[in-house]
Every structure is written in C-alpha cells, then in structure tokens.
Amino acid sequence: MMEQNRYDVLIIGSGPAGLGAAIYAVRAGLKTAVIDRSPISGGQVLITYEVDNYLGLPGLSGSELSEKFRMHADNLGVAFITADVQGVEHASGLKVVHTAEGDFSAKAVILATGASHSKLGVLGEEKLLGAGVSYCATCDGAFFRNRTVAVVGGGDVAVEDAVFLAGICKKVYLIHRRDKLRAADSLQKKLLSLDNVEVLWNSVVKEITGEDVVEGVSVYNNVSDVQSSLAVNGVFIAVGIEPNTELFRGMVEMDEKGYILADETCVTSKEGIFAVGDIRKKPMRQIITAVADGANAVYSVQNYFVEQA
Ligand code: NDP
C-alpha cells in the first residue's frame, strides 16, 4: 500500500460525529482522513431545515451548520477522501478500508456512517416515491407551495417538517399513531400554534393513493376504528431512522436493530474499531451528542495507541 494511503486514523462518514472525531484527531497530532461517498459533509444535518439546539450557534439552517463543521475540519488540515467504502478488514495489525477508489489503511478506524430514514411500508409508498412521497421536507417542500400535504410521524423530525411545511403549504396534516408526540416540547408548542396544521391523533396511514402522483392517503383511526380518505398532494414520511451499519455486520457486535454496541468510550467489540454518532446504541441521538462521541472516540483511540506501543 502506498505510503500516502496510510493513516493513523481513518474515519468513515462525515456527519457531525465523523467531523467531531476528525478535529480532535488532527489536533492530537494523528494523521487523519475522513472517507465519505459524498463530497458534501453533514449527513442528516444537511437536510435539517433549522437547528436551534446546538450550543452557541442557534438558528442556523442544517446546511449552514454543516458548512461550518466542514470549514473547521478543513482549516485544521483534515484530509477528505471521496469514495464508496466497500468493507473494512483487519490485516497484520492494520485495518484496511476497501473503497471503489482503492485501499486505505490505518491503525484505528472510527465508524461514523450515521443513519437513514425508515420506510412506512405501506402500499403506494414505493410506487409514488418522488411523485409526491418524500422523506425530506427541506429538499422537496418547495414543490408543494400552496398545496395540501401530510406528514407522518410524531418525533422531532416529523414535527420540524410539519412546522417547516406549514410555512409553504396551504394545509398540513400531521398523522401520528398515538395521542402524544415524541418531539421536544418547544417544537410541539410551535406546531400546535399554527392555524394551517391539523393533527390526526391515533391514526395510521394504510395506503398512499394516486395513479401517477399522490392524490391522497387512506387513514385508519385505531381508537374509533374508522377508516377514511384524505385528499393530499404530498406525503412526507418521518417515522424514524435506521443505522447504516450493514457493511460492518459480523465485524462488530450490534443490537437487534443494527445499532453498534459501544458505550460512551465508543470502543466496539473489535479492537481498534470505534463507533460514533447515530450508529451507536445510545439513548439520545442529537448533533451535540454525535460531536461529543467524536471527542470521546479520539480519547479512546489515543489510549488504544498507548496500549499497543
Ligand atoms: P424518532 O424515532 O424520534 O420518531 C419517530 C416517530 O415516528 C415516532 O413518533 C414514532 O411513533 C413514529 N413511527 C415510527 N414507526 C412508525 C410507523 N411504522 N408508522 C407510524 N409512525 C411511526 O425519529 P426522528 O426521525 O424524528 O428523529 C431521529 C433522531 O434524531 C431522534 O433521536 C431525534 O431526537 C433526533 N433529532 C435531533 C435533532 C437535533 O439535534 N436538532 C433534530 C431532529 C431529530 P411513536 O412515538 O409512537 O413511537
């Protein structure tokens, strides 16, 4: 392997967790590179409309905050490699990261591949994807100006999306399967103060209807046992996330949902492999906790290097 492809630390993923780890690693004097399939850093933050709970930087859009994170890493001299990772191998003390652009090696690898949106799994969802079905309100919301849309879910993302869409659309239905939202209180208050938002409680989407584009949703109320049709032009699905850990299955221990088992030291079951951010099993997945993981992981990496010396 060519010398320039050898690092002390390779970080896979350039969301807040990966970039947080990167700045701590370069500042610790470690030769560090971040590998991501996208040249634009930020992960899920990139598609967040507004982030109001990151300390010291309130009210920035997700893309503005991501840009700041990336600039910070660039200014400190973090190397970035744009490549699709195909696997990680443990070879002769070194870990080798295989990518479509070639192999890279490091003494330690930090996994920071984040999470992706979950599917609802109903009829019409796949067929009408891009034809009214979306998983990203900030990306696609503008197509629904003055129209009627439904948002499905009751977490932070669903409520943030509904608030964002209420500023663009004529009417927004928030369809939630229970009678309580999971989202932060401040978000709930904002949502419930909006005139053009209607929450359908205890309701599940059974089908997304329409021939070529979304025309409506079929909704079942699990308290009244009544099924009804709602005419909407768009459906924004925000029913949670799934960890992007498929590539690492068999290498590190995971729970039944695929989250990597590692405590706040970010040490995984495989020596020299660390896990940070949304891919780690943990109670609170926020930008600030992802960044904190990055710092903790590098502390663990340094301890690991001392043990190995
Ligand atoms: P969450 O897991 O928090 O919420 C998912 C929502 O979807 C829940 O209300 C859940 O219902 C509902 N749901 C799940 N499956 C289904 C289904 N099959 N049918 C109908 N409804 C379903 O996910 P989010 O994507 O909202 O957030 C992911 C993580 O990101 C969270 O930890 C969140 O706090 C975090 N986040 C952080 C932000 C920040 O730092 N600023 C911003 C946005 C998100 P139920 O409540 O009944 O389980």
Side-chain angles (χ1 to χ4, degrees):
M1 182 163 311
M2 291 195 297
E3 186 55 37
Q4 74 260 32
N5 286 358
R6 285 200 195 147
Y7 292 88
D8 293 318
V9 187
L10 277 170
I11 299 164
I12 307 176
S14 69
L19 294 184
I23 67 158
Y24 272 76
V26 281
R27 293 188 80 250
L30 303 173
K31 189 182 176 196
T32 305
V34 177
I35 308 181
D36 198 307
R37 65 160 72 99
S38 166
I40 302 168
S41 298
Q44 293 171 87
V45 184
L46 268 181
I47 57 164
T48 304
Y49 171 54
E50 186 182 311
V51 180
D52 216 15
N53 57 2
Y54 192 77
L55 185 68
L57 295 168
L60 293 187
S61 71
S63 59
E64 285 167 339
L65 187 60
S66 304
E67 222 170 278
K68 281 190 184 291
F69 289 163
R70 174 64 189 254
M71 251 166 43
H72 193 167
D74 279 336
N75 290 344
L76 286 174
V78 174
F80 283 89
I81 300 163
T82 304
D84 215 341
V85 171
Q86 293 161 338
V88 179
E89 198 187 315
H90 200 268
S92 59
L94 280 182
K95 281 94 203 142
V96 179
V97 178
H98 300 292
T99 82
E101 311 301 319
D103 292 348
F104 301 87
S105 73
K107 291 188 265 176
V109 173
I110 299 179
L111 311 177
T113 47
S116 305
H117 54 74
S118 305
K119 302 261 187 324
L120 205 50
V122 297
L123 221 58
E125 180 178 14
E126 219 172 297
K127 184 181 102 174
L128 296 167
L129 179 63
V133 172
S134 168
Y135 299 89
C136 178
T138 45
C139 317
D140 302 327
F143 299 122
F144 298 88
R145 192 165 294 283
N146 296 326
R147 313 201 80 189
T148 298
V149 298
V151 176
V152 188
D156 284 337
V157 171
V159 174
E160 271 182 1
D161 285 359
V163 169
F164 169 69
L165 290 165
I168 299 174
C169 304
K170 186 170 75 184
K171 169 102 187 176
V172 178
Y173 293 101
L174 182 76
I175 304 175
H176 183 41
R177 63 183 179 184
R178 292 188 295 133
D179 62 355
K180 266 192 197 71
L181 296 168
R182 186 182 286 277
D185 260 2
S186 56
L187 279 173
Q188 294 195 32
K189 282 200 183 99
K190 216 186 233 181
L191 177 87
L192 299 172
S193 72
L194 299 170
D195 293 336
N196 61 341
V197 175
E198 185 178 335
V199 183
L200 305 185
W201 301 104
N202 305 308
S203 298
V204 292
V205 170
K206 286 287 185 195
E207 185 180 349
I208 302 171
T209 53
E211 259 321 300
D212 301 319
V213 292
V214 168
E215 287 164 21
V217 281
S218 166
V219 181
Y220 171 70
N221 186 304
N222 53 33
V223 170
S224 65
D225 198 22
V226 170
Q227 185 138 338
S228 54
S229 306
L230 203 62
V232 295
N233 308 107
V235 181
F236 289 86
I237 297 168
V239 294
I241 56 169
E242 281 161 23
N244 297 321
T245 51
E246 199 55 47
L247 271 179
F248 318 124
R249 218 168 264 279
M251 178 174 77
V252 289
E253 277 175 24
M254 298 177 188
D255 72 1
E256 67 292 347
K257 291 183 180 152
Y259 288 103
I260 296 173
L261 299 183
D263 63 14
E264 64 270 46
T265 62
C266 303
V267 171
T268 70
S269 57
K270 187 83 173 179
E271 58 97 1
I273 307 277
F274 303 81
V276 295
D278 282 4
I279 60 168
R280 182 168 80 78
K281 184 178 168 79
K282 57 172 170 174
M284 180 82 168
R285 292 194 176 83
Q286 298 280 298
I287 301 167
I288 205 155
T289 63
V291 174
D293 275 6
N296 282 323
V298 172
Y299 181 70
S300 300
V301 166
Q302 288 176 289
N303 286 339
Y304 169 66
F305 288 167
V306 170
E307 282 162 20
Q308 297 293 303

